[in-house]
Amino acid sequence: MAAAVLLLAIATPAQDQMRGWQWQNPLPQGNSINAIRFTSDKRHGWAVGSDGAVLSTNDGGFVWEQQECPANTTLYGLYVKDRSHVVITGARGVVLTTRNGGRRWVVRPTAIRDHLFAVAFAPDDPLHGWAVGTFGSIIATTDGGLTWKTQSSHTSAHLFSVAFANAKNGIAVGARGTLLVTTNGGAEWRQQSGIGNSVLTSVGFASTKTAMVVGYRGTILRTDDSGETWVAANPLVTTDLFSVFFIDELHGWASGESGVVLTTGDGGNIWLPVNVRTSPRLASVYFADESLGWAAGEDGLVVRTDDGGLSWRRLTEGGRDDLANIFFADN
């Protein structure tokens, strides 16, 4: 695990609020990033990760600022409605919401202690949302994330991702090849059989009927009937995949271990690798349109593409080599 160089701020009356350690390398910070999302204006975005890391940008990701987080725990899931309203989920049942772009985050009660790995809202009704996590936990909201109630998944498998095409039709995936489908907003979840035992890490809808699932060992599954039947695609790689995202019915991307990014232009039938020129684990990928996208993951890495994934540039700075010692000459 890469260590980080930190700077101890010299305490003065004007700096009391800044006393302590601050990230100096890599920048903007070195905690792993688990999710990255942007608003429709392609400029305002957030990234969340380990140790309560919440980063925000208003220039398309070139400059990031850390926002104050009231939950000092690992954050996993991220939903961005617009530049004011954002929802985050994390370890120990944490749900955070903001109504002012992150200037103030509020912890929302969930009555559970399971780690919540992902959160999703209905595209046609942003008041309806769902979060999934460890031991089959599913919670749902009908007021935009202010209050949450549990739903029964009928499984003890860890759930890593959830997506909804609308307020009724949704899919959740997880460990041991777990693939759950609902057609009534989560009032009932049905497990699909014959999927296999590979860990399924991410699900995304390309249209109201078509969805894609990715997982370990290069697993890619596709449905054209809202999850009733599934077929496997040939990704030409055996790398573990962690995230999948579609901007429309044809164009999608998947990211995973060792900096692997795959792209498709035909709705997921054929997947081709693209070069990120970096090897860290990419836990999250998000695209604003056919050209502009971001990926993020290990050691605080954030990369951006402006040509649909053909080329990428790193938005974070600094080295990521392991460090073994630190020394101060004075106070």
Side-chain angles (χ1 to χ4, degrees):
M1 179 177 180
V5 177
L6 303 165
L7 176 67
L8 184 63
I10 299 174
T12 67
Q15 291 177 315
D16 283 345
Q17 71 273 17
M18 297 298 290
R19 183 179 298 173
W21 293 88
Q22 296 177 334
W23 281 105
Q24 290 297 289
N25 181 69
L27 289 175
Q29 55 92 62
N31 288 309
S32 294
I33 296 175
N34 296 320
I36 185 168
R37 292 289 184 270
F38 279 74
T39 61
S40 58
D41 67 9
K42 308 176 186 180
R43 297 180 57 83
H44 293 80
W46 284 262
V48 300
S50 303
D51 297 323
V54 179
L55 307 175
S56 68
T57 179
N58 58 16
D59 64 357
F62 293 101
V63 177
W64 294 84
E65 295 182 355
Q66 191 144 359
Q67 295 185 334
E68 184 176 351
C69 176
N72 186 22
T73 189
T74 301
L75 305 175
Y76 296 107
L78 176 62
Y79 167 75
V80 175
K81 177 185 176 183
D82 52 43
R83 58 189 296 181
S84 298
H85 299 83
V86 184
V87 179
I88 297 172
T89 62
R92 299 193 294 274
V94 164
V95 172
L96 307 172
T97 67
T98 181
R99 294 180 173 180
N100 53 21
R103 291 193 299 274
R104 178 174 179 264
W105 290 95
V106 179
V107 179
R108 301 297 179 182
T110 61
I112 66 170
R113 299 291 291 174
D114 294 291
H115 302 338
L116 297 172
F117 293 129
V119 60
F121 281 74
D124 60 342
D125 185 355
L127 293 179
H128 285 77
W130 298 261
V132 300
T134 50
F135 303 105
S137 293
I138 301 179
I139 59 174
T141 179
T142 58
D143 55 16
L146 303 184
T147 60
W148 296 81
K149 294 182 178 179
T150 60
Q151 294 184 339
S152 179
S153 66
H154 305 292
T155 182
S156 61
H158 302 329
L159 300 176
F160 299 126
S161 181
V162 61
F164 272 74
N166 47 52
K168 298 295 184 181
N169 297 299
I171 300 170
V173 298
R176 304 197 300 266
T178 301
L179 198 159
L180 307 177
V181 174
T182 181
T183 57
N184 53 18
E188 179 186 10
W189 289 89
R190 295 178 289 104
Q191 185 159 338
Q192 302 301 100
S193 60
I195 301 301
N197 295 318
S198 290
V199 175
L200 304 178
T201 55
S202 182
V203 55
F205 275 91
S207 67
T208 56
K209 295 289 186 179
T210 301
M212 213 71 56
V213 169
V214 301
Y216 283 12
R217 298 191 294 273
T219 298
I220 299 181
L221 304 174
R222 169 184 167 138
T223 179
D224 290 309
D225 52 16
S226 300
E228 293 299 320
T229 60
W230 295 84
V231 295
N234 183 5
L236 304 178
V237 300
T238 58
T239 308
D240 292 346
L241 301 174
F242 304 127
S243 180
V244 64
F245 184 83
F246 272 76
I247 193 65
D248 55 37
E249 293 187 28
L250 297 178
H251 301 88
W253 297 262
S255 67
E257 197 65 67
S258 302
V260 166
V261 174
L262 306 176
T263 182
T264 178
D266 65 356
N269 293 305
I270 298 176
W271 293 83
L272 299 174
V274 293
N275 186 15
V276 180
R277 295 183 181 177
T278 185
S279 61
R281 176 183 193 268
L282 293 175
S284 183
V285 62
Y286 179 82
F287 273 73
D289 54 38
E290 293 182 24
S291 300
L292 178 58
W294 302 262
E298 193 175 50
D299 300 332
L301 178 69
V302 179
V303 293
R304 168 177 167 144
T305 178
D306 292 275
D307 56 13
L310 297 179
S311 62
W312 298 77
R313 50 179 158 173
R314 196 167 80 175
L315 302 182
T316 46
E317 300 177 352
R320 286 172 170 79
D321 293 325
D322 290 344
L323 303 175
N325 200 3
I326 189 169
F327 174 75
F328 284 83
D330 52 35
N331 63 357

